[in-house]
């Protein structure tokens, strides 16, 4: 089995890790990531209602099925021509977004009038979804360090009609300088991206445990800053597109061990791992969720919802 993972291009180190984590399923996960994902989109309710938009696309021959966890999300089952060439896309009525990445904003449940932070915002998919859920009311502070990526974010938000977002060209590690207590924070954290092999096949072989540890350290720094700037009773949603427990369950276990927080249950996905590599973690970790390419037809994805205790 490890040999078959190796034949798919995975390094020996990661083939062995994945077999230890999932046994025979590791091969099914790897084979699923060899296939391209369905193209999915989100209806932008800042500009159009869902039923009107779906009828418009149906008339043009597009067929799709609903994303279970996103009322505004759909995945194409028939695309007679590129949906990105339609007036609906060009006019900002829809946004192309992978299904699993729709879940963090849904899990966060930002409400109109709240003050929200997006700690790693570019290119703006999750930011714009939060603005949509907030009905453009309240404020989103969207941080990113990449100048070019922030330009892309600004163009996306403009096309989608987002008006409640302030873009901040700075690392969110310095968000405390704003002196704001946030109602809710989304941290879609920088990670090794091992759940995105379908679009980044080079990551099978060029990642190392050193890379995983580097990302874990940054993720812990960012969560610490998030909790320092979150209101008491406020909610943080943490997500990655990584398969590695060090970037997911181990990070959240560290949060539970070091901060006065509680983990809130999530409905969709599979329960997170509670004994990866035979290391026993809190049973609370099962409230966090994983999405797998073999089961959910998405990227490999992790989502946890944390509330700062009263």
């Amino acid at each position: 089995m490890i040999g078959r993972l190796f034949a798919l291009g995975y390094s020996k180190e990661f083939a062995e890790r994945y077999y230890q984590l999932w046994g025979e399923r590791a091969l099914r996960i790897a084979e699923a990531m060899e296939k391209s994902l369905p193209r999915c989109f989100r209806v932008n309710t800042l500009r159009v209602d869902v039923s009107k938009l779906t009828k418009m696309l149906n008339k043009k021959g597009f067929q799709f099925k609903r994303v279970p966890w996103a009322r505004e999300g759909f995945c194409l089952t028939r695309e007679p021509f590129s949906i990105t060439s339609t007036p609906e896309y060009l006019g900002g009525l829809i946004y192309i977004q992978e299904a699993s990445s729709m879940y963090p904003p849904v899990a966060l449940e930002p409400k109109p009038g709240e003050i929200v932070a997006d700690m790693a915002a570019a290119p703006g998919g999750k930011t714009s979804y939060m603005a949509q859920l907030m009905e453009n009311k309240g404020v989103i502070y969207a941080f990113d360090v990449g100048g070019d990526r922030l330009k892309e974010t600004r163009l996306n938000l403009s096309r989608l009609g987002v008006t409640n977002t302030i873009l901040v060209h700075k690392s969110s590690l310095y968000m405390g300088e704003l002196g704001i207590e946030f109602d809710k924070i989304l941290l879609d954290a920088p990670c090794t991206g091992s759940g995105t092999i379908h679009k980044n096949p080079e990551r099978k072989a060029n990642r190392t445990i050193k890379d995983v540890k580097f990302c874990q350290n940054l993720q812990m720094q960012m969560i610490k800053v998030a909790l320092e700037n979150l209101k008491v009773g406020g909610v943080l949603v943490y997500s990655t597109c990584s398969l590695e427990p060090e970037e997911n369950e181990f990070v959240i276990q560290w949060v539970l061990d070091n901060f006065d927080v509680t983990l809130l249950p999530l409905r969709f996905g599979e329960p997170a791992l509670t004994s990866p590599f035979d290391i026993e973690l809190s049973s609370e970790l099962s409230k966090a969720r994983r999405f797998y390419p073999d089961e959910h037809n998405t990227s490999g994805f992790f989502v946890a919802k944390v509330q700062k205790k009263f």
Side-chain angles (χ1 to χ4, degrees), residues 208-260:
T208 66
I209 293 299
K210 187 176 178 181
D211 297 324
V212 173
K213 292 293 188 182
F214 173 84
C215 287
Q216 182 191 55
N217 182 57
L218 176 58
Q219 290 152 358
M220 288 176 169
Q221 288 181 58
M222 295 181 83
I223 283 191
K224 180 177 182 291
V225 169
L227 291 171
E228 288 170 351
N229 290 279
L230 189 64
K231 286 181 180 176
V232 172
V235 172
L236 163 71
V237 164
Y238 173 84
S239 61
T240 77
C241 56
S242 170
L243 295 172
E244 315 311 320
E246 291 89 344
E247 300 181 73
N248 298 322
E249 287 87 354
F250 291 173
V251 169
I252 300 303
Q253 182 67 59
W254 173 79
V255 171
L256 293 174
D257 290 343
N258 290 280
F259 300 91
D260 194 14

Side-chain angles (χ1 to χ4, degrees), residues 43 49-56:
V43 179
D49 67 56
V50 173
S51 61
K52 182 176 180 181
L53 188 280
T54 54
K55 286 172 186 172
M56 290 163 70

Side-chain angles (χ1 to χ4, degrees), residues 134-146:
M134 294 167 70
E135 300 170 11
N136 258 342
K137 298 169 185 171
V139 184
I140 301 171
Y141 289 83
F143 296 84
D144 212 277
V145 292

Side-chain angles (χ1 to χ4, degrees), residues 139-241:
V139 184
I140 301 171
Y141 289 83
F143 296 84
D144 212 277
V145 292
D148 289 341
R149 284 169 59 79
L150 269 184
K151 288 178 185 174
E152 182 185 359
T153 304
R154 187 169 67 245
L155 291 171
N156 281 329
L157 298 185
S158 177
R159 181 172 62 83
L160 296 167
V162 172
T163 57
N164 72 336
T165 298
I166 297 169
L167 297 180
V168 184
H169 185 193
K170 197 168 193 176
S171 168
S172 53
L173 290 172
Y174 301 98
M175 66 194 298
E177 293 177 0
L178 296 176
I180 296 169
E181 276 195 321
F182 293 93
D183 296 298
K184 288 172 181 167
I185 296 176
L186 177 66
L187 172 53
D188 186 47
C191 68
T192 57
S194 52
T196 65
I197 298 299
H198 58 281
K199 60 182 179 182
N200 298 299
E202 71 282 355
R203 296 192 182 187
K204 294 177 192 176
N206 68 4
R207 289 170 302 115
T208 66
I209 293 299
K210 187 176 178 181
D211 297 324
V212 173
K213 292 293 188 182
F214 173 84
C215 287
Q216 182 191 55
N217 182 57
L218 176 58
Q219 290 152 358
M220 288 176 169
Q221 288 181 58
M222 295 181 83
I223 283 191
K224 180 177 182 291
V225 169
L227 291 171
E228 288 170 351
N229 290 279
L230 189 64
K231 286 181 180 176
V232 172
V235 172
L236 163 71
V237 164
Y238 173 84
S239 61
T240 77
C241 56

Side-chain angles (χ1 to χ4, degrees), residues 123-134:
K126 296 177 184 69
T127 313
S128 59
Y129 197 3
M130 290 195 295
Q132 177 176 326
L133 295 172
M134 294 167 70

